[in-house]
CSV table of all heavy atoms in Angstrom, one decimal:
chain,number,residue,atom,x,y,z
A,395,SER,N,-7.1,12.9,10.0
A,395,SER,CA,-7.7,12.2,8.8
A,395,SER,C,-8.1,13.1,7.7
A,395,SER,O,-8.4,12.7,6.6
A,395,SER,CB,-8.9,11.4,9.3
A,395,SER,OG,-9.9,12.2,9.8
A,396,THR,N,-8.1,14.5,7.9
A,396,THR,CA,-8.4,15.4,6.9
A,396,THR,C,-7.3,15.8,6.0
A,396,THR,O,-7.5,16.6,5.0
A,396,THR,CB,-9.1,16.7,7.5
A,396,THR,OG1,-8.1,17.4,8.2
A,396,THR,CG2,-10.3,16.3,8.4
A,397,ILE,N,-6.1,15.4,6.4
A,397,ILE,CA,-4.9,15.8,5.6
A,397,ILE,C,-4.2,14.5,5.1
A,397,ILE,O,-3.7,13.7,5.9
A,397,ILE,CB,-3.9,16.6,6.5
A,397,ILE,CG1,-4.5,17.9,7.0
A,397,ILE,CG2,-2.6,17.0,5.7
A,397,ILE,CD1,-4.9,18.9,6.0
A,398,LEU,N,-4.1,14.4,3.8
A,398,LEU,CA,-3.5,13.3,3.2
A,398,LEU,C,-2.0,13.4,3.3
A,398,LEU,O,-1.4,14.4,2.9
A,398,LEU,CB,-3.9,13.2,1.7
A,398,LEU,CG,-3.4,12.0,0.9
A,398,LEU,CD1,-3.8,10.7,1.4
A,398,LEU,CD2,-3.8,12.2,-0.6
A,399,LYS,N,-1.3,12.4,3.8
A,399,LYS,CA,0.2,12.4,3.8
A,399,LYS,C,0.6,11.0,3.4
A,399,LYS,O,0.0,10.0,3.7
A,399,LYS,CB,0.7,12.7,5.2
A,399,LYS,CG,0.4,14.1,5.7
A,399,LYS,CD,1.4,15.1,5.2
A,399,LYS,CE,1.2,16.5,5.6
A,399,LYS,NZ,2.2,17.4,5.2
A,400,PRO,N,1.8,10.8,2.7
A,400,PRO,CA,2.7,11.9,2.3
A,400,PRO,C,2.1,12.8,1.3
A,400,PRO,O,1.1,12.5,0.7
A,400,PRO,CB,3.9,11.1,1.8
A,400,PRO,CG,3.3,9.8,1.3
A,400,PRO,CD,2.2,9.5,2.2
A,401,ASP,N,2.8,14.0,1.1
A,401,ASP,CA,2.2,14.9,0.1
A,401,ASP,C,2.6,14.5,-1.3
A,401,ASP,O,1.7,14.5,-2.2
A,401,ASP,CB,2.7,16.3,0.4
A,401,ASP,CG,2.1,16.9,1.6
A,401,ASP,OD1,0.9,16.9,1.7
A,401,ASP,OD2,2.9,17.3,2.5
A,402,VAL,N,3.8,14.2,-1.6
A,402,VAL,CA,4.3,13.8,-2.9
A,402,VAL,C,5.4,12.8,-2.8
A,402,VAL,O,6.0,12.6,-1.7
A,402,VAL,CB,4.8,15.0,-3.8
A,402,VAL,CG1,3.7,15.8,-4.3
A,402,VAL,CG2,5.8,15.8,-3.0
A,403,LEU,N,5.7,12.2,-3.9
A,403,LEU,CA,6.9,11.3,-4.0
A,403,LEU,C,8.0,12.0,-4.8
A,403,LEU,O,7.7,12.8,-5.7
A,403,LEU,CB,6.6,10.0,-4.8
A,403,LEU,CG,5.7,9.0,-4.2
A,403,LEU,CD1,5.6,7.8,-5.1
A,403,LEU,CD2,6.1,8.6,-2.8
A,404,ALA,N,9.2,11.7,-4.5
A,404,ALA,CA,10.4,12.1,-5.3
A,404,ALA,C,11.4,11.0,-5.3
A,404,ALA,O,11.4,10.1,-4.5
A,404,ALA,CB,10.9,13.4,-4.7
A,405,PRO,N,12.4,11.1,-6.3
A,405,PRO,CA,13.4,10.0,-6.3
A,405,PRO,C,14.1,9.8,-5.0
A,405,PRO,O,14.6,10.8,-4.4
A,405,PRO,CB,14.3,10.4,-7.4
A,405,PRO,CG,13.5,11.3,-8.3
A,405,PRO,CD,12.6,12.0,-7.3
A,406,GLY,N,14.1,8.5,-4.5
A,406,GLY,CA,14.8,8.3,-3.3
A,406,GLY,C,15.5,6.9,-3.2
A,406,GLY,O,15.9,6.5,-2.2
A,407,VAL,N,15.6,6.3,-4.4
A,407,VAL,CA,16.2,4.9,-4.4
A,407,VAL,C,17.4,5.0,-5.3
A,407,VAL,O,17.3,5.5,-6.5
A,407,VAL,CB,15.2,3.8,-4.9
A,407,VAL,CG1,15.9,2.5,-4.9
A,407,VAL,CG2,14.0,3.8,-3.9
A,408,ASN,N,18.5,4.6,-4.8
A,408,ASN,CA,19.8,4.5,-5.6
A,408,ASN,C,20.2,5.9,-6.2
A,408,ASN,O,20.4,6.1,-7.4
A,408,ASN,CB,19.7,3.5,-6.7
A,408,ASN,CG,19.4,2.1,-6.2
A,408,ASN,OD1,19.8,1.8,-5.1
A,408,ASN,ND2,18.9,1.2,-7.0
A,409,ILE,N,20.2,6.9,-5.3
A,409,ILE,CA,20.6,8.2,-5.7
A,409,ILE,C,22.1,8.4,-5.5
A,409,ILE,O,22.6,8.2,-4.4
A,409,ILE,CB,19.8,9.3,-4.8
A,409,ILE,CG1,18.3,9.0,-4.9
A,409,ILE,CG2,20.2,10.7,-5.2
A,409,ILE,CD1,17.7,9.1,-6.3
A,410,ILE,N,22.7,8.8,-6.6
A,410,ILE,CA,24.2,9.1,-6.6
A,410,ILE,C,24.4,10.6,-6.4
A,410,ILE,O,24.0,11.4,-7.2
A,410,ILE,CB,24.8,8.6,-7.9
A,410,ILE,CG1,24.7,7.0,-7.9
A,410,ILE,CG2,26.3,9.0,-7.9
A,410,ILE,CD1,25.1,6.4,-9.3
A,411,ALA,N,25.0,10.9,-5.2
A,411,ALA,CA,25.3,12.3,-4.9
A,411,ALA,C,26.6,12.4,-4.2
A,411,ALA,O,27.3,11.4,-3.9
A,411,ALA,CB,24.1,12.9,-4.2
A,412,ALA,N,27.0,13.6,-3.8
A,412,ALA,CA,28.3,13.9,-3.3
A,412,ALA,C,28.6,13.1,-2.0
A,412,ALA,O,27.7,12.8,-1.2
A,412,ALA,CB,28.5,15.4,-3.1
A,413,TRP,N,29.9,12.9,-1.8
A,413,TRP,CA,30.4,12.1,-0.7
A,413,TRP,C,31.7,12.6,-0.1
A,413,TRP,O,32.5,13.1,-0.9
A,413,TRP,CB,30.6,10.6,-1.2
A,413,TRP,CG,30.6,9.6,-0.1
A,413,TRP,CD1,31.6,8.8,0.3
A,413,TRP,CD2,29.5,9.3,0.8
A,413,TRP,NE1,31.2,8.0,1.3
A,413,TRP,CE2,29.9,8.3,1.7
A,413,TRP,CE3,28.2,9.9,1.0
A,413,TRP,CZ2,29.2,7.8,2.7
A,413,TRP,CZ3,27.4,9.3,2.1
A,413,TRP,CH2,27.9,8.3,2.9
A,414,PRO,N,31.9,12.6,1.2
A,414,PRO,CA,33.1,13.1,1.7
A,414,PRO,C,34.3,12.2,1.5
A,414,PRO,O,34.2,11.1,1.1
A,414,PRO,CB,32.8,13.2,3.2
A,414,PRO,CG,31.7,12.3,3.5
A,414,PRO,CD,30.9,12.1,2.2
A,415,GLN,N,35.5,12.8,1.8
A,415,GLN,CA,36.7,12.1,1.6
A,415,GLN,C,37.2,11.3,2.8
A,415,GLN,O,38.3,10.7,2.7
A,415,GLN,CB,37.8,13.1,1.1
A,415,GLN,CG,37.6,13.5,-0.4
A,415,GLN,CD,37.8,12.4,-1.4
A,415,GLN,OE1,38.8,11.7,-1.4
A,415,GLN,NE2,36.7,12.1,-2.2
A,416,ASN,N,36.5,11.4,3.9
A,416,ASN,CA,37.0,10.6,5.1
A,416,ASN,C,36.4,9.2,5.1
A,416,ASN,O,36.7,8.5,6.0
A,416,ASN,CB,36.5,11.4,6.4
A,416,ASN,CG,35.0,11.5,6.5
A,416,ASN,OD1,34.3,11.6,5.5
A,416,ASN,ND2,34.5,11.4,7.7
A,417,LEU,N,35.5,8.9,4.1
A,417,LEU,CA,34.8,7.7,4.1
A,417,LEU,C,34.9,7.0,2.8
A,417,LEU,O,35.0,7.7,1.8
A,417,LEU,CB,33.3,7.9,4.4
A,417,LEU,CG,32.9,8.4,5.8
A,417,LEU,CD1,31.5,8.9,5.7
A,417,LEU,CD2,33.1,7.3,6.8
Side-chain angles (χ1 to χ4, degrees):
Chain A
S395 60
T396 67
I397 302 293
L398 179 65
K399 293 278 179 175
D401 289 309
V402 283
L403 292 185
V407 179
N408 299 337
I409 304 302
I410 294 173
W413 199 241
Q415 285 295 305
N416 64 324
L417 295 166

